[in-house]
Every structure is written in structure tokens, then in C-alpha cells.
Amino acid sequence: MFDNVPLLLHGFEIALSWHHVALMIGGVLLGILVGVLPGLGAPNGVTLLLPLTFSMDPVSAIILLTSMYWGALFGGSTTSILFNIPGEPSSVATTFDGHPMAKNGQATEALTYAFMSAGFGAMVGVIVITLLSSAVADFALKFSSPEFFAVYLLAFASFVGLGGGNPFKTIVSLTLGLAFATVGQDTISGSLRLTFGFDELLRGISFLVAVIGLFGLGELVLTMEEGLRFNAVASRISPKKVFQTIAKMPRYWFALLRGSLIGVWMGVTPGGPTAASFMSYGVARRFSRRSANFGKGEPEGVVAPETADHAAGSSAMLPMLALGIPGSATAAVMLGGLMIWGLTPGPTLFVERPDFVWGLIASMYLGNVVAVVLVLATVPLFAAILRIPFAVVAPLIVSVCFIGVWTVASAEFDLWLVLAFGVIGYLFKKLEYPIAPLVLAMVLGDKAEDAFRQSMLMSGGSLGVFFSNPLAGTLTAIALILLAWPIVAMILGRRRASAAAVAAAHVERSPS
């Protein structure tokens, strides 16, 4: 486990160049801007920036994107506390106590609790990646086609069984993503599929075009429909109060540790930062000695969700790097970026490009430190940007979306395609369908199909190949259990309800 330390030190040599440090600072500042502007967010910001990285070295490109990711997470916390407007979905739980603290004249304390907790959670996530990434990669090197398909099936099934939302809607989202992934030329037979006579679809649907429409335009239309009211509170940061608040952080050590563990688990599984922040807040409120104060400006109500949010955001990179399976929507976008840069996510990446992997991990340590410092220094500036009328900001966001789409292939058809995905993204948000499973299916659809068909060729068409050895059999069995879990949970819930009803009826009939 600790054999990774020399590799990490080599990664710091790569990450500590002036060029990469400048990229970290620029990425964090861009991320904070993306995080504070409603209608954007980490997945959207990374998506819009991705075309600019095509000509960059992959190490520099991933450092820029991950730094933007950290900045966006911090920016979302800023607006949640100062304006009661979550810039990120994962920052919603922070509004519950963060904004009441700000209205009570404790804006500096709330922001400091949020940023320090976020930095702690992110560091725990990065440490987990450092210690476990090589072990996970070595384990994955034993995989062949059946094992890889079992892993992909497990990734899809995890969204159904562990996603926390409506499992039927998750399955619809996954199925639609798999359908989009099959458009174009079949990678094995070479035949054309689902092109419907459009020559422009021969090359398939660009992953980047899809996510810009789904996240960028879809979220923007929804934001415009809901309307925005910026009711700002004081945004001046007092250095004295910052240090006083930092000195109080140790009293929340248990909330920090518990939030980190919840975040790491939800990051490695497909729960994601949003589910992690709500779960951490709910657990903290349930077990806190000051639970009655939650919702009124309780510091622990800020510490718990922020720690879990950033721990999940960091640790989601572990399955993406080691297995080629993203643990969040943003990680899925980055996975697509790796493929565009000619890199193959998964265990072989650690062997073929150790400079990339460990340069990225080292930059995650540095990028989080840079983010904490910069976000404290720039809160008044970005709070002022939020006062710009949304009627001015929205056209700028649309322009950036279309410029990003045009840079993919300079194709007019893509401009119409991004509008179509914008409509899909809007409908998904309105109908509460999850977008992350669709993105995951688009990224992994081709790889999952190839692994399945290769497995069928190996076994002569027998599905028993997925149970032919303990590793593939275990992964497949867990995936099938997760797929069936919502049905099992529903049946168990009905039995408990009927048992409770029978017990209540018995109590009513019994003599008093």
C-alpha cells in the first residue's frame, strides 16, 4: 500500500512546475466562477472547458480540469451560504444551515467552516486514492472480457440499486444512454446502426455534444424558468474571524471523520457528491447533541455536508482511473476526455502512463490547498459577479456552449444536436430523471458491448461464461443482486407495512 509513496513524490515533481501551478490557479478561479453562476456547475464547466484541452499535454489538461472541478465545488458553497442559491446540486444541503448563519451575521464563520471542511474531506478522498489506486489497478489487471463486462454491468446496476432515486427512471436513463452509444458504425461487424439516413450520424453521437446539451443548455433553461432572486448578505471576509473559526474546527472532529467516510463510500460507488452531502447532513442531524438547532444556523450542519461532498468528489476519481468506471457525472466527463486524448482509463493506464496518473494525484493535493486559499480571498469578488443580471449572464453561457460544440468537429449538425440534448436535459430535470446514468452509459456503452460480444465469442454464445470463474461470477452476482434490490426492498417494505397494520388492528381490538 505504501509502495505508492515514491510514485507520489515523482508526481509532485511533475505537478510543482510553474506551468502546472499556474494551470491550477487558473482552473480554480474558473471553477469558482462556474460554481457561483446558476445554470452552470462542475460537470457543465468541465464539459465546456474540455475542447480547449485537445491541443494540450494530457497531464496539463487533466490538472486544469480537476482544478476547475475543485473550484466549482467551492463556488457552489459560496452561493449557498451568501445567497441561499446552490450553485451545485451537491451544495443544496449546505443552504439548510449555511444561509441562516449568514443572515445571523456569521457569514465569515459559515464560509470558513464550509471551506475548511471541504478541504479536509477532499484530502481524505485523495489519500484514499493514493493508498488504494495501485492495489485496485493490480487487481484489475487479472480481468479478461467476461470480468470487464461484469464490472460494467456492476457499474450500471449500482446506479439502480444504490442511486437512491426512482429505479425505473434510472433504468430508462441507462437504456437511453446505451441507445445513443450504439449510433454509428458497429465496432465489431462494421455495419451501420440507428443513423436513420443522416450521414452526419455515421461517426456516432459525440459524447461532448451530448453533455454540453444535457448539462449546459438543459440546466440553463430550467434556471430561467424557475427565475432567480438574489438576496445577498454581507460578503466581506474578516481575517480575524477566519482564524478564530479555524481554531474551533477540532470540536467537530467526529462530524469531519464521519462525513469523510460517507463521502468516500458514495464517491467510490455511484452515489455521487449530492447523495453524500444529503446523507451526511441527515446522519449528523439524527445523532447530534444539538439536533434541535439544525436548520437555524448550526455549524455542524455546514461541516457535515461539505466534508462528504468533497470527499465524494475526490474519491470518485479512484474507480475512474483504476477501473475506467466513473463514480460521478463529472468523473464521467473526465473519462470521456481521457479517451479523446488517446488514453485508455483502467489498470493499464498505471503501467503505460504513470507520469499522468501520479501527476494527477499529486495535483489533487495541491489543487485543494490552492482552492481553499483562493476561495477565501475571492469571496467578495464572486459575490459581486452574482449581482450581474441573469439576463446578461445567460446569453454568455449559451455562447460558450455553442462555441464548445463547434470546436468538436466544426459540424453544423452538431449545433442542432446540442439543442436536442438540451431539450432532453430540460425534460430529465423537470421529470426528475437522473442524467448521470445516461452519461455513464454513453461513455461505457461501446466498451460494455465489445466486452459482452467478445465474451460470447469465447464461450460459443453461453451466458455461463460470466460465472465461469470466481471473480466474474462474484461481480455478476453482485450486479444482479443490485438490479433486483429495489424490488426486494419494495416487497419487504410492504410486508413491514402490512405487519404494522395487523399489529395496530390487534391493539385496537384488545380490551383496554
Side-chain angles (χ1 to χ4, degrees):
M1 185 179 290
F2 294 99
D3 294 342
N4 294 344
V5 174
L7 296 169
L8 179 63
L9 294 176
H10 175 63
F12 275 112
E13 292 180 15
I14 297 170
L16 280 172
S17 68
W18 287 109
H19 173 61
H20 288 153
V21 171
L23 285 176
M24 284 179 214
I25 294 173
V28 167
L29 290 174
L30 281 172
I32 297 171
L33 177 61
V34 164
V36 301
L37 289 176
L40 286 176
N44 313 351
V46 171
T47 299
L48 296 177
L49 197 62
L50 194 56
L52 302 180
T53 66
F54 291 168
S55 60
M56 296 174 63
D57 171 70
V59 177
S60 301
I62 197 69
I63 286 175
L64 177 62
L65 293 181
T66 51
S67 298
M68 187 180 196
Y69 179 33
W70 312 139
L73 291 176
F74 281 104
S77 306
T78 302
T79 56
S80 294
I81 291 169
L82 295 182
F83 295 88
N84 203 32
I85 299 172
E88 282 280 314
S90 58
S91 299
V92 172
T94 306
T95 63
F96 300 158
D97 283 278
H99 191 62
M101 284 185 70
K103 288 198 295 185
N104 294 338
Q106 297 177 293
T108 298
E109 290 89 333
L111 289 167
T112 305
Y113 278 126
F115 299 150
M116 295 304 296
S117 303
F120 181 87
M123 281 297 179
V124 172
V126 181
I127 290 170
V128 168
I129 294 175
T130 304
L131 297 178
L132 299 183
S133 56
S134 290
V136 174
D138 290 341
F139 174 68
L141 283 171
K142 303 173 182 177
F143 287 16
S144 59
S145 296
E147 287 80 13
F148 272 115
F149 176 76
V151 169
Y152 299 140
L153 180 63
L154 180 60
F156 299 144
S158 296
F159 271 102
V160 178
L162 302 176
N166 185 315
F168 173 76
K169 292 181 177 180
T170 302
I171 291 172
V172 170
S173 181
L174 281 168
T175 305
L176 196 58
L178 290 171
F180 289 140
T182 61
V183 173
Q185 193 173 43
D186 182 358
T187 55
I188 293 182
S189 69
S191 59
L192 297 179
R193 303 182 296 186
L194 302 180
T195 57
F196 302 106
F198 289 98
D199 294 339
E200 293 87 351
L201 289 176
L202 294 177
R203 54 187 171 86
I205 295 177
S206 169
F207 162 78
L208 196 58
V209 171
V211 292
I212 288 177
L214 290 169
F215 289 112
L217 297 183
E219 190 76 38
L220 184 66
V221 172
L222 193 67
T223 304
M224 292 169 63
E225 181 186 58
E226 292 174 349
L228 290 168
R229 290 183 180 179
F230 294 158
N231 300 313
V233 297
S235 56
R236 187 178 298 278
I237 293 290
S238 166
K240 181 179 178 181
K241 287 185 179 179
V242 169
F243 289 111
Q244 289 175 343
T245 306
I246 292 174
K248 297 176 184 176
M249 286 297 295
R251 69 177 63 174
Y252 300 105
W253 67 271
F254 188 69
L256 289 166
L257 182 61
R258 181 179 57 209
S260 298
L261 293 175
I262 292 173
V264 167
W265 168 249
M266 296 300 284
V268 173
T269 63
T274 303
S277 62
F278 276 100
M279 182 184 294
S280 184
Y281 182 86
V283 171
R285 184 171 187 169
R286 171 69 178 81
F287 294 103
S288 174
R289 295 177 181 176
R290 296 172 55 84
S291 58
N293 202 40
F294 274 64
K296 303 175 184 177
E298 169 60 35
E300 190 176 348
V302 176
V303 171
E306 283 295 309
T307 306
D309 178 5
H310 286 247
S314 298
S315 55
M317 302 293 284
L318 173 58
M320 186 203 77
L321 289 172
L323 298 174
I325 297 173
S328 68
T330 309
V333 176
M334 291 185 185
L335 180 67
L338 262 64
M339 294 178 178
I340 291 171
W341 302 327
L343 300 176
T344 303
T348 57
L349 188 64
F350 285 75
V351 178
E352 297 169 357
R353 291 297 303 270
D355 58 325
F356 173 86
V357 173
W358 292 103
L360 165 61
I361 293 174
S363 74
M364 291 166 71
Y365 284 95
L366 300 172
N368 278 294
V369 174
V370 169
V372 171
V373 174
L374 286 180
V375 79
L376 282 170
T378 56
V379 163
L381 170 64
F382 288 105
I385 289 174
L386 258 180
R387 295 186 179 90
I388 299 173
F390 192 70
V392 175
V393 175
L396 292 176
I397 296 173
V398 173
S399 300
V400 172
C401 286
F402 280 101
I403 290 170
V405 168
W406 184 258
T407 59
V408 175
S410 301
E412 181 182 345
F413 184 77
D414 285 347
L415 300 179
W416 293 103
L417 204 56
V418 76
L419 288 175
F421 276 103
V423 172
I424 293 173
Y426 167 76
L427 293 175
F428 266 48
K429 290 283 186 179
K430 288 290 289 184
L431 300 174
E432 298 183 352
Y433 279 76
I435 294 180
L438 188 152
V439 175
L440 176 75
M442 284 196 71
V443 173
L444 295 182
D446 283 343
K447 298 172 73 174
E449 182 187 6
D450 290 347
F452 177 79
R453 292 171 72 177
Q454 289 166 5
S455 300
M456 290 296 95
L457 290 172
M458 288 170 54
S459 65
S462 171
L463 291 174
V465 69
F466 301 115
F467 297 92
S468 59
N469 62 70
L471 180 56
T474 302
L475 292 172
T476 304
I478 294 173
L480 294 176
I481 290 170
L482 288 175
L483 282 173
W485 180 249
I487 299 174
V488 174
M490 182 179 66
I491 293 172
L492 292 176
R494 287 180 177 176
R495 285 186 176 179
R496 289 195 193 100
S498 61
V502 170
H506 179 71
V507 169
E508 289 178 3
R509 288 196 301 266
S510 62
S512 54

